Amino acid sequence: MGNQGYHVAVVGATGAVGQQMVKKLEERNFPVKKLTLLASSRSKGKELVFKGEKIIVEEAKPESFSGVDIALFSAGGAISKTLAGEAVKRGAVVIDNTSAFRMDPDVPLVVPEVNEEDLKDHKGIIANPNCSTIQLVVALQPIRKAFGLKRVIVSTYQAVSGAGAQAVREMVEQTKAVLAGERPQAEILPVRSAEKHYPIAFNAIPQIDVFQDNGFTFEEMKMINETRKIMHFPELKIAATCVRIPAERGHSESVYFEVESDRATEAEIRSVLAGSPGVLLQDDRAGQIYPMPYFASGKDEVFVGRIRRDLDVANGFHMWVVSDNLLKGAALNSIQIAESLIRNQWL
Amino acid sequence: MGNQGYHVAVVGATGAVGQQMVKKLEERNFPVKKLTLLASSRSKGKELVFKGEKIIVEEAKPESFSGVDIALFSAGGAISKTLAGEAVKRGAVVIDNTSAFRMDPDVPLVVPEVNEEDLKDHKGIIANPNCSTIQLVVALQPIRKAFGLKRVIVSTYQAVSGAGAQAVREMVEQTKAVLAGERPQAEILPVRSAEKHYPIAFNAIPQIDVFQDNGFTFEEMKMINETRKIMHFPELKIAATCVRIPAERGHSESVYFEVESDRATEAEIRSVLAGSPGVLLQDDRAGQIYPMPYFASGKDEVFVGRIRRDLDVANGFHMWVVSDNLLKGAALNSIQIAESLIRNQWL
């Protein structure tokens, strides 16, 4: 760490996303003057390595944020609600990866490739969108710009790491149990605090987060509402079905969309996406090239493929979108927000 | 086996579906006078047990069908193309579980709950639809009858057993490899004869069967064309995205549909489905009740849940449909066809 740069705090540093944040800060050579790692009292005393230096994890408290310039929160909505204001009060800008503030009209909800300008008006807290939303809008925004957008229907295939490192450990244990002919135990998915838990090993669970009165889950409503907010597109017709599958890292999305323009073709959509920031086109039928979570794991890009015209509906198309939910879906996007704040002097 | 009943042959008896056929014939007390088990020369000499009696698997040849009343084929399209005609020539009625004859206008494609009457006109060969199609039409047909149907968009989450018993063994080996920190080997999925193979363990593969010129895979076109044929509904707007996931048994489907009637409600759709043949409604948000492949495995029903109204589009709804691809999706439906032929004296 140098004298130049910023005092950065990572809240939830030992979690699945927090660890990726620390890794990405190093990998991207983020201008870190000092790195403070915070977590719940349970993780206090653990050590993480940043640029070859061991850093001891401290318990997150209001006073932990004294002197902090940028606080990256990813320790659950309850901790964000308790501590984000405390961090702002002490002069930090908070980039929050929970759903606590996302729909707050005073809080920008930002994917830099889509609505970087919204960062300008922040009041101390910036929200990082839900993982499944981020990769969707990165793919949809260039299509909207080029051809207009009327309608989106998405079905997700979400990886277990989206539910945290413990959920991944549980999937591994369940998988071993099933392979050994034993009954898998489930205590985390679909929602830790819910009454019932189901194994994810060799299964698919069509519930992510809790049910809302309208029959959609909160995860599905996050995708719907956050997409509209990020794209400044409240009238967009968008529906989501969110499903957990036994992948470790990398969310996949089967996306149907209708564009306004009658001139859109598969080739033009491909060409628009190929030149779009954050997108990597993987779409070659003859070569069997399409995105897959196993191969997107550990990568920064939003991978798009299987682009094809609907056979019945004019201006209707289908595509398949995959991205690492811990990176572009979480840690990377948070750090890209911080980088944008610095680059644009909006900190 | 008794003196009353039919001489039944199972072609592909050692395969994933063939074994379920033998099991279901016994379980349902199908009137079997004699059971002939046929397979490729590779499986010749293997033994299966039917009603406590060991039966030796013979190599399938034209003369194997002498005296056979009902031949259940599930050994791949090439074998059906070669031997189905030979079986019919020798007086058998063929129920074929491959795609060889499904779109032949002279061959009925039947799901008894939907279009049993089509069996009446058979000319010796009856086609059993694709697994992912069967469970879809079982759920859609009652909805169409009650409210009319305008449009369907489906994304599938298909189990590995749909690609055969060897694919399941490969998934198990890949899973063990990944858990041991080794690189998984892939030789079967997505398409054995294709150039590239990808691991399915902890992955999702958005290719089932080969690509068509229109960008859809053959599996996707099967769902589209077979649904229209079974439902006698050539003008139905229907699109599919077919994806393999690391489940062993049980295909899941995220289905968006639009009905004609303005009077359809979630409650009425639930009530219609709850009373429909072959359907088991599992739809209780408060109780976290919805279908899942792990729990549908080994069951006969088509499970439907997560029924909810689209938030933007009038008469638009979503649902989640799960069924065991080896049972209702294959073996069970084939035997139900045979039972219908007998019951209606259409053999």
Side-chain angles (χ1 to χ4, degrees), chain A residues 148-218:
Chain A
L149 192 61
K150 285 200 298 194
R151 180 163 198 197
V152 177
I153 298 174
V154 54
S155 294
T156 71
Y157 303 66
Q158 295 184 228
V160 174
S161 57
Q166 278 185 291
V168 172
R169 282 193 288 274
E170 190 179 70
M171 172 172 69
V172 168
E173 290 314 310
Q174 290 171 349
T175 304
K176 287 178 184 167
V178 172
L179 292 179
E182 291 159 15
R183 207 186 150 84
Q185 299 300 311
E187 288 171 9
I188 297 178
L189 292 177
V191 179
R192 193 190 295 250
S193 61
E195 203 180 320
K196 288 182 187 160
H197 298 99
Y198 304 116
I200 186 63
F202 304 107
N203 197 16
I205 304 178
Q207 180 189 0
I208 301 182
D209 218 320
V210 294
F211 280 101
Q212 312 294 291
D213 289 340
N214 61 9
F216 287 75
T217 60
F218 189 48

Side-chain angles (χ1 to χ4, degrees), chain A residues 151 155-157 196 198 203 206-207 215 220 228 238 240-241 254 256 287-288 290 294 306 308 312-313, chain B residues 151 155-157 196 198 203 206-207 215 220 228 238 240-241 254 256 258 287-288 290 294 306 308 312-313:
Chain A
R151 180 163 198 197
S155 294
T156 71
Y157 303 66
K196 288 182 187 160
Y198 304 116
N203 197 16
Q207 180 189 0
E220 289 160 357
R228 288 173 175 157
I238 173 168
T241 299
S254 170
Y256 169 77
Q288 288 179 266
Y290 36 70
Y294 185 80
R306 298 253 20 229
R308 62 205 191 277
D312 303 306
V313 175
Chain B
R151 180 163 200 199
S155 294
T156 71
Y157 303 66
K196 289 182 185 159
Y198 304 116
N203 196 16
Q207 180 189 359
E220 289 159 358
R228 288 174 176 157
I238 171 167
T241 299
S254 169
Y256 169 77
E258 283 168 28
Q288 287 179 268
Y290 34 70
Y294 184 81
R306 296 243 34 219
R308 61 206 192 277
D312 302 308
V313 175

Side-chain angles (χ1 to χ4, degrees), chain A residues 112-126:
Chain A
E113 292 89 338
V114 179
N115 63 333
E116 184 177 31
E117 289 288 311
D118 289 351
L119 289 174
K120 208 162 42 184
D121 306 318
H122 80 82
K123 297 179 171 64
I125 300 178
I126 294 144

Side-chain angles (χ1 to χ4, degrees), chain A residues 151 153-157 171-172 175-176 178-179 182-184 190-191 194-207 211-217 220-221 224 228 235-243 245-249 252 254-256 258 266 284-295 306-313 318-320, chain B residues 151 153-157 171-172 175-176 178-179 182-184 190-191 194-207 211-217 220-221 224 228 235-243 245-249 252 254-256 258 266 284-295 306-313 318-320:
Chain A
R151 180 163 198 197
I153 298 174
V154 54
S155 294
T156 71
Y157 303 66
M171 172 172 69
V172 168
T175 304
K176 287 178 184 167
V178 172
L179 292 179
E182 291 159 15
R183 207 186 150 84
V191 179
E195 203 180 320
K196 288 182 187 160
H197 298 99
Y198 304 116
I200 186 63
F202 304 107
N203 197 16
I205 304 178
Q207 180 189 0
F211 280 101
Q212 312 294 291
D213 289 340
N214 61 9
F216 287 75
T217 60
E220 289 160 357
M221 292 312 300
I224 293 169
R228 288 173 175 157
E235 71 278 19
L236 177 65
K237 287 178 184 168
I238 173 168
T241 299
C242 291
V243 180
I245 66 161
E248 186 185 337
R249 272 172 78 168
S252 306
S254 170
V255 185
Y256 169 77
E258 283 170 27
E266 289 174 5
D284 172 9
R285 295 160 195 172
Q288 288 179 266
I289 303 290
Y290 36 70
M292 286 178 279
Y294 185 80
F295 299 101
R306 298 253 20 229
I307 296 162
R308 62 205 191 277
R309 184 183 279 282
D310 191 84
L311 301 174
D312 303 306
V313 175
H318 302 264
M319 66 178 172
W320 176 252
Chain B
R151 180 163 200 199
I153 299 173
V154 54
S155 294
T156 71
Y157 303 66
M171 172 173 69
V172 168
T175 304
K176 288 177 183 167
V178 172
L179 291 180
E182 291 159 15
R183 207 186 151 86
V191 180
E195 204 179 319
K196 289 182 185 159
H197 298 100
Y198 304 116
I200 186 62
F202 304 106
N203 196 16
I205 305 179
Q207 180 189 359
F211 280 101
Q212 312 293 291
D213 289 341
N214 62 9
F216 286 76
T217 60
E220 289 159 358
M221 292 313 298
I224 293 168
R228 288 174 176 157
E235 71 278 20
L236 177 65
K237 288 180 183 164
I238 171 167
T241 299
C242 291
V243 180
I245 66 161
E248 186 187 337
R249 273 172 78 168
S252 307
S254 169
V255 185
Y256 169 77
E258 283 168 28
E266 290 174 4
D284 172 9
R285 296 159 194 170
Q288 287 179 268
I289 303 291
Y290 34 70
M292 287 179 279
Y294 184 81
F295 299 100
R306 296 243 34 219
I307 296 162
R308 61 206 192 277
R309 186 183 277 284
D310 190 84
L311 302 174
D312 302 308
V313 175
H318 303 264
M319 66 178 171
W320 175 253

Side-chain angles (χ1 to χ4, degrees), chain B residues 52-72:
Chain B
E53 205 176 302
K54 279 185 190 167
I55 303 181
I56 294 170
V57 176
E58 301 163 46
E59 186 179 346
K61 293 177 183 170
E63 49 273 29
S64 312
F65 297 96
S66 301
V68 167
D69 301 304
I70 300 168
L72 304 170

